[in-house]
């Protein structure tokens, strides 16, 4: 569900692909907005969204940015270590080690910050 009606456009898209591509992205976002306001199917999978997008000439997907510009990789912040065999599992999100076991030996896991 849409929580706000703000439209945000990545400025790197303009730098990489120019005004025409950004115009198609804006049309895409306006289709979402228009259909949501009218209580119609505004999600990517909805036929109404696909039809309106084709009618106005918006892009279905934006192009990937070259060199991953604008996207920052999340480093691993947590490490789960098996207390029995020492196997390590790297994780980006914190989890409760009491709910999981080692995949190798079914031993208990301990959580460490990296």
């Amino acid at each position: 569900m849409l929580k706000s009606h703000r439209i945000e456009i990545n400025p790197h898209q303009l730098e990489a692909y120019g005004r025409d591509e950004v115009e198609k992205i804006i049309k895409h976002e306006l289709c979402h907005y228009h259909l949501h306001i009218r209580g119609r199917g505004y999600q990517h999978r909805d036929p109404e969204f696909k039809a309106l997008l084709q009618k106005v000439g918006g892009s279905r997907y934006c192009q990937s940015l070259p060199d991953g510009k604008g996207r920052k990789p999340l480093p691993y912040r947590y490490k789960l270590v098996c207390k029995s065999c020492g196997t390590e599992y790297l994780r980006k999100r914190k989890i409760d080690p009491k709910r999981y076991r080692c995949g190798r030996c079914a031993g208990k896991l301990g959580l460490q910050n990296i």
Side-chain angles (χ1 to χ4, degrees):
M1 175 182 233
L2 292 176
K3 294 181 181 175
S4 79
H5 293 132
R6 289 181 25 185
I7 294 176
E8 297 179 9
I9 306 296
N10 187 339
H12 296 295
Q13 287 286 340
L14 178 62
E15 294 171 14
Y17 300 111
R19 291 181 62 136
D20 290 338
E21 189 63 28
V22 172
E23 183 179 316
K24 290 177 183 177
I25 293 170
I26 292 170
K27 288 178 180 180
H28 174 105
E29 296 304 328
L30 288 173
C31 287
H32 282 299
Y33 178 78
H34 173 75
L35 291 169
H36 182 257
I37 294 295
R38 296 177 66 73
R40 313 291 294 263
Y42 63 91
Q43 295 179 345
H44 291 124
R45 66 176 179 259
D46 293 325
E48 292 171 319
F49 176 76
K50 292 176 186 178
L52 182 59
L53 194 60
Q54 189 172 18
K55 184 177 180 181
V56 299
S59 63
R60 181 93 189 272
Y61 304 102
C62 67
Q63 297 181 36
S64 296
L65 292 170
D67 301 329
K69 239 183 186 181
R71 181 177 280 184
K72 297 177 185 174
L74 291 175
Y76 292 111
R77 299 187 324 179
Y78 302 100
K79 180 168 47 172
L80 294 167
V81 180
C82 177
K83 295 179 180 179
S84 299
C85 69
T87 302
E88 296 180 353
Y89 302 94
L90 297 176
R91 294 288 178 258
K92 293 180 182 180
R93 293 184 182 183
K94 189 173 183 177
I95 66 167
D96 183 7
K98 295 175 188 172
R99 297 185 63 197
Y100 300 93
R101 294 288 185 152
C102 175
R104 180 175 284 169
C105 71
K108 291 185 179 182
L109 298 174
L111 183 66
Q112 299 174 354
N113 288 338
I114 297 178

